[in-house]
Amino acid sequence: MRVVTNDGVALHVTVEGDGPTVVLLAGFAAPVSTWVFQVDALTAAGYRVVAIDRRSHGLSDAPGHGHRMARHGKDLHDALTALDLADVAVVGGSMGAGTIWAYLDLFGTERVRAVVSVDQTPRMRNGEGWAHGFYGFDDTNAGTFFAGGVAATGHGRPPERSQAAMARLVQRLGPDVLAGGIRPETMPLLRDHAQQDWRDVIARVDVPVLMVAARESQFWPCEHAAAAIAGNPLGRAVVLEDCGHAANIDQVEPFNAAMLAFLREA
């Protein structure tokens, strides 16, 4: 299925299952098919799953415009409107979570009943009292740090410890699941993403929020999750052990258990 945004971009959407709706958004350069193990768990638990490839991601159109977080938030709004969805739980991995915050900043929670953020700090730039951003990224290099893409940090879970998890994903989806890589037109999106600060949005969200953090995230300290929801009584944080940034892939069963428990209570 495809839905078209108000600026003419066709977004690839899949719909599976029946029941309360859960919307899935993947992170930077990742197709929404990487949520396959969550789709399995959610549909088995009685949810309807709507998975959306963001513009220039997965099977969606790859235009030369609109590569900023505000536009991705508007794309989510256009998709929810086109599909006539309301009372949805929205789950975003990494930059997918940033898309949710951008959407809520613009349109509020009228269509949303709950939010799950998967290992995404609300502010990537360190400084001004915030020490839970991307390792090594601060005011001194804010203009150049992501010029060449997402740099290795030397922190967190070593790649070899995620090989079995990635092999499981490849076995399910095939060897081309991540073949697309980073598309050149999305580099402005990455830089825009890195400059955002969603803490005020999270503080004001009036629906339940679950911040999932990876104990061994390669990108930022897991303490970002508790810090992000400290001022919101509807927020909760969970840290997944033995887990890197791609928490829904590294630790499928613990992540699914945390997500489903939250959704049952939200």
Side-chain angles (χ1 to χ4, degrees):
M1 176 188 303
R2 293 170 82 79
V3 298
V4 180
T5 65
N6 74 331
D7 64 342
V9 176
L11 304 178
H12 172 249
V13 179
T14 62
V15 181
E16 298 185 45
D18 294 296
T21 300
V22 179
V23 176
L24 302 178
L25 299 164
F28 184 59
V32 78
S33 58
T34 54
W35 290 105
V36 61
F37 299 121
Q38 286 66 55
V39 174
D40 290 348
L42 287 163
T43 54
Y47 292 96
R48 179 190 189 208
V49 182
V50 176
I52 305 171
D53 271 326
R54 296 181 294 124
R55 66 174 61 205
S56 289
H57 288 69
L59 298 178
S60 290
D61 283 356
H65 63 276
H67 298 296
R68 62 190 66 86
M69 294 309 297
R71 179 66 247 186
H72 280 235
K74 179 63 166 67
D75 288 351
L76 176 55
H77 174 266
D78 289 352
L80 296 180
T81 302
L83 297 169
D84 194 25
L85 295 178
D87 198 34
V88 302
V90 193
V91 182
S94 194
M95 188 188 287
T99 299
I100 297 170
W101 305 132
Y103 166 82
L104 294 175
D105 193 31
L106 292 167
F107 302 103
T109 57
E110 181 179 357
R111 293 179 180 269
V112 174
R113 72 175 183 89
V115 176
V116 180
S117 167
V118 186
D119 203 53
Q120 177 59 58
T121 183
R123 174 179 162 139
M124 290 174 61
R125 184 158 42 90
N126 294 291
E128 300 176 10
W130 181 254
H132 310 306
F134 198 102
Y135 293 118
F137 179 49
D138 57 31
D139 290 344
T140 66
N141 54 22
T144 59
F145 191 85
F146 291 100
V150 181
T153 65
H155 290 264
R157 184 179 172 93
E160 58 270 18
R161 284 175 51 208
S162 294
Q163 286 178 352
M166 289 304 300
R168 180 181 179 184
L169 184 68
V170 169
Q171 183 178 27
R172 177 67 180 273
L173 296 177
D176 296 331
V177 58
L178 297 175
I182 296 175
R183 297 175 178 174
E185 72 271 13
T186 63
M187 290 303 295
L189 174 66
L190 175 62
R191 293 191 290 271
D192 184 68
H193 170 56
Q195 299 299 335
Q196 303 302 319
D197 184 347
W198 302 114
R199 290 176 296 173
D200 66 311
V201 178
I202 297 170
R204 293 182 290 109
V205 169
D206 57 359
V207 298
V209 173
L210 175 65
M211 299 289 295
V212 178
R215 176 72 69 187
E216 297 178 87
S217 177
Q218 295 87 349
F219 295 154
W220 33 67
C222 63
E223 289 81 6
H224 79 266
I229 51 87
N232 188 329
L234 295 176
R236 67 186 74 174
V238 61
V239 178
L240 298 183
E241 303 296 334
D242 192 24
C243 186
H245 176 63
N248 62 305
I249 299 171
D250 262 359
Q251 292 293 346
V252 172
E253 284 75 22
F255 172 78
N256 287 351
M259 174 182 64
L260 290 170
F262 171 74
L263 292 176
R264 284 193 298 268
E265 299 171 7

